Amino acid sequence: MKMVDICNKEITEREAVAEGEIYMKPSTVLAVKEGKTPKGDVLTAAKIAGIAAAKETPFLIPLCHAIPIDYIDVEFNLKENSIAIKTVVKGKAKTGVEMEALTACAVAALTIYDMCKPLDKEIVISNIRLIKKSGGKSGTYIRNE
């Protein structure tokens, strides 16, 4: 086992977009929307958690490079029985920011779960996946869905 050698790679602009869903009862989504959950503002807490998680990725994922991150965003789309999460991470580095985007998405979903669990014991986190990545030798990847 070893960390991938990126010494001879060029620094390029990198971007990654990840998405995931968290399914819950419609009444739980409504409580999130109306700010009526026991722990407070769910989406603000989840956004901050996602951003913090992206910055801490190399400490959470073994052998993941510590790279400079220039931009992180976490967006939510509330639906009838779910909340869609989208994360965007950008930076200039020798390796990609996919793990940072995926980690941000996962931790944002876990934060929503934690803050909503008093209202709903059947919450399901699902389908966390890379949607797009750009930069580096392998170029651009866009998921076909």
Side-chain angles (χ1 to χ4, degrees), residues 41-114:
D41 185 345
V42 172
L43 299 182
T44 298
K47 183 171 187 133
I48 293 168
I51 291 168
K55 294 167 65 173
E56 297 296 326
T57 299
F59 299 104
L60 300 169
I61 308 294
L63 309 177
C64 187
H65 290 89
I67 58 174
I69 297 174
D70 298 320
Y71 176 82
I72 306 166
D73 193 21
V74 181
E75 300 173 3
F76 304 101
N77 182 11
L78 281 68
K79 301 176 182 178
E80 182 184 347
N81 70 334
S82 68
I83 299 173
I85 304 165
K86 177 181 175 183
T87 59
V88 178
V89 178
K90 296 179 184 179
K92 292 178 182 157
K94 292 182 175 189
T95 190
V97 291
E98 298 92 5
M99 293 310 301
E100 288 75 6
L102 290 162
T103 300
C105 192
V107 171
L110 287 167
T111 301
I112 293 169
Y113 186 103
D114 179 59

Side-chain angles (χ1 to χ4, degrees), residues 4-145:
V4 173
D5 184 355
I6 61 170
C7 290
N8 295 320
K9 291 179 83 176
E10 289 193 32
I11 294 173
T12 63
E13 285 189 32
R14 311 288 183 137
E15 179 180 6
V17 178
E19 291 182 355
E21 287 85 34
I22 181 162
Y23 294 90
M24 58 190 69
K25 296 175 186 172
S27 60
T28 307
V29 175
L30 186 60
V32 170
K33 185 177 183 178
E34 293 177 350
K36 295 182 178 177
T37 60
K39 291 189 172 186
D41 185 345
V42 172
L43 299 182
T44 298
K47 183 171 187 133
I48 293 168
I51 291 168
K55 294 167 65 173
E56 297 296 326
T57 299
F59 299 104
L60 300 169
I61 308 294
L63 309 177
C64 187
H65 290 89
I67 58 174
I69 297 174
D70 298 320
Y71 176 82
I72 306 166
D73 193 21
V74 181
E75 300 173 3
F76 304 101
N77 182 11
L78 281 68
K79 301 176 182 178
E80 182 184 347
N81 70 334
S82 68
I83 299 173
I85 304 165
K86 177 181 175 183
T87 59
V88 178
V89 178
K90 296 179 184 179
K92 292 178 182 157
K94 292 182 175 189
T95 190
V97 291
E98 298 92 5
M99 293 310 301
E100 288 75 6
L102 290 162
T103 300
C105 192
V107 171
L110 287 167
T111 301
I112 293 169
Y113 186 103
D114 179 59
M115 294 187 73
C116 293
K117 69 184 180 192
L119 303 175
D120 191 344
K121 303 294 186 219
E122 298 181 13
I123 296 170
V124 174
I125 296 170
S126 179
N127 211 18
I128 295 172
R129 65 219 181 268
L130 181 67
I131 299 300
K132 174 187 166 193
K133 73 93 147 173
S134 62
K137 191 169 106 177
S138 66
T140 298
Y141 162 81
I142 299 174
R143 178 177 293 279
N144 257 342
E145 292 197 331

